[in-house]
Amino acid sequence: MSSLTLSSVCKTYANRVEVLRDVNLDVQDGEFIVLVGPSGCGKSTLLRMIAGLEDITSGDIKIGAKRVNALPPAERDISMVFQDYALYPHMSVRENLSFGLRIRKSPLPEIHERVSFAARMLSIEHLLDRLPSQLSGGQRQRVAIGRAIVRKPSLFLFDEPLSNLDAQLRSQTRIELASLHRELGTTVVYVTHDQVEAMTLATRIVVLEKGVIQQVGTPLELYDAPANRFVASFIGNPSMNFFEGDLVFEGGSLLFTTEGHTFNFTGAPRCPGKSGRYVLGLRPEAIKVLTKEGRESEGPVDASPVVVLVEPHGHESHLVSKVGARQVVIRSSNPKRLEVMERAKPGDALASTIDRNALHWFGANSAGARIV
C-alpha cells in the first residue's frame, strides 16, 4: 500500500488552456478515492498525470515518500485499468494476465501463483485459455482488472472502467470492485462520471469543476453538506432543486419569497442569521406530498406543485412538477405518498410540505458558497 500526495499541481497546454489549477490532495494508505465531475473538468487528465502518461506543468506528485514527477510510468509502482480494456487480442486470458510479469522476467512459479490468485479472486479461472474475442464485456473487464492485480502495485488507477458495461453488469462489477478493495487494501484512485459508482465505492469523493477541486469528503458529507451550489447540483440524482429569492425576518416571522411565492420558515432550525438574497436548495426527498390522512400531522401546506410528469421507479417515484415557473422534482418511497403521486395526472395540483430540517442555503452570487 502507499499514500499519494498532490501539491499545487497545475496543467496548462501550449495554447494557454488551463486544465488543472492548484490541485492539492492527500490520499491515505488504503483509501478508495473517486474523482468526479462533468466532462472536461480535468479528472482523467489528473489521473494520467499521476500515472506518468501526462506531464505536469508545475507542482509535485508523491507516491509514498517518493517524488515521481520525472519518473516514467513503469517506475511508479502503479497499475492502471482503462475504459477500453486494452487486452492483447492474440493472447489468451492467462497470457494477458501474466504479460507484465513476463516482461519483468519474474520467476515462473511466482507468475503462476499471482495469475492463479487473481483468476480465483475474480472468478475467471475457467476463462484462462480463452482469447479476448471469446469473452463478454464484463469478462474482459475482469481480465483487465486481473492484469492490474497480478502486478501487486502500491497504487491502482481506474479510468472509467465500467462505462462500456450495461446497467446490470455495472452494478455487479461495482460490488466486485468494493470486495476486491476490502480484500487487497490497496490505495485506489478512480475516475468516473457516474454518481452511483462514486457514492457506493468511495471512502472519499473529490469533486472537480473547470480544473479546480470544489470539495473533498465522504459521500454523505457531500450529500448532506455540499460546499457550494455546483457540488449540491452535481451530487445527488435527481439533482437538488434551487430557488433564488429574498429572506426576510419580520416581526418574529421568517419569510422567503421567490418568484411570487412566499414560504413561511418561522422556527426552522437551519436558516441564515440575517435578511438578504439567498438561494434555497431542497433535495427532492425534502418536499413531501401530503396525503389526506396526514394533513394534520405531516406539516403545513407550503406549496401546491402542479404535476408535469410522474416517473414510477418501482421502489420509489419521481414527480416532475412546477412551482410557479420553477421546475421541481419530488421523490418519495413512502407507500401512502406513492399512491397519491402515482394517481396524479398532468395539471393536478398536489399539496406539499417542506422538511424544515433539510433546508440548504447558498449565496446568491456566482460562487454560490454554502451559507448553512
Side-chain angles (χ1 to χ4, degrees), residues 94 97-117 150:
R94 189 189 309 276
L97 291 175
S98 64
F99 181 75
L101 299 177
R102 287 186 281 121
I103 289 294
R104 290 171 176 237
K105 301 189 185 305
S106 299
L108 286 177
E110 181 183 348
I111 292 175
H112 176 75
E113 180 185 345
R114 290 196 187 185
V115 168
S116 296
F117 171 77
V150 298

Side-chain angles (χ1 to χ4, degrees), residues 291 298 315-316 331-339 341:
T291 62
E298 291 177 347
H315 65 293
E316 65 180 25
R331 174 170 61 193
S332 181
S333 58
N334 179 286
K336 291 183 178 179
R337 293 196 180 101
L338 282 179
E339 186 179 350
M341 290 166 63

Side-chain angles (χ1 to χ4, degrees), residues 34 161-162 170 174 190 192 194-202:
V34 177
L162 310 186
R170 280 202 305 272
R174 271 201 319 269
Y190 186 105
T192 184
D194 189 316
Q195 288 187 43
V196 176
E197 287 178 32
M199 296 292 283
T200 55
L201 288 172

Side-chain angles (χ1 to χ4, degrees), residues 173-226:
T173 311
R174 271 201 319 269
I175 295 169
E176 292 169 355
L177 281 174
S179 299
L180 279 172
H181 178 249
R182 282 194 301 270
E183 186 165 344
L184 296 173
T186 308
T187 308
V188 174
V189 181
Y190 186 105
V191 164
T192 184
H193 64 276
D194 189 316
Q195 288 187 43
V196 176
E197 287 178 32
M199 296 292 283
T200 55
L201 288 172
T203 52
R204 286 190 299 156
I205 297 174
V206 179
V207 183
L208 286 157
E209 163 68 344
K210 296 179 180 177
V212 177
I213 291 180
Q214 302 294 314
Q215 188 173 0
V216 181
T218 66
L220 289 181
E221 284 172 350
L222 268 60
Y223 192 82
D224 293 334

Side-chain angles (χ1 to χ4, degrees), residues 3 37 39 88 108 137 175 182 188 191 198 205 227 233 261 280 282 322 336 369:
S3 60
S39 296
Y88 296 106
L108 286 177
I175 295 169
R182 282 194 301 270
V188 174
V191 164
I205 297 174
S233 64
H261 187 86
L280 168 65
L282 296 172
K322 291 272 190 181
K336 291 183 178 179

Side-chain angles (χ1 to χ4, degrees), residues 78-82 87 96-98 101 114 118 122 141-158 184 186:
I78 57 103
S79 279
M80 191 163 182
V81 179
F82 299 92
L87 301 178
N96 268 283
L97 291 175
S98 64
L101 299 177
R114 290 196 187 185
L122 294 164
Q141 191 56 276
R142 283 193 184 90
V143 175
I145 294 169
R147 187 174 54 190
I149 289 172
V150 298
R151 290 273 311 278
K152 291 189 176 178
S154 58
L155 184 64
F156 279 123
L157 304 178
F158 289 87
L184 296 173
T186 308

Side-chain angles (χ1 to χ4, degrees), residues 319-338:
L319 180 71
V320 182
S321 60
K322 291 272 190 181
V323 175
R326 175 71 59 184
Q327 180 170 294
V328 175
V329 178
I330 301 170
R331 174 170 61 193
S332 181
S333 58
N334 179 286
K336 291 183 178 179
R337 293 196 180 101
L338 282 179

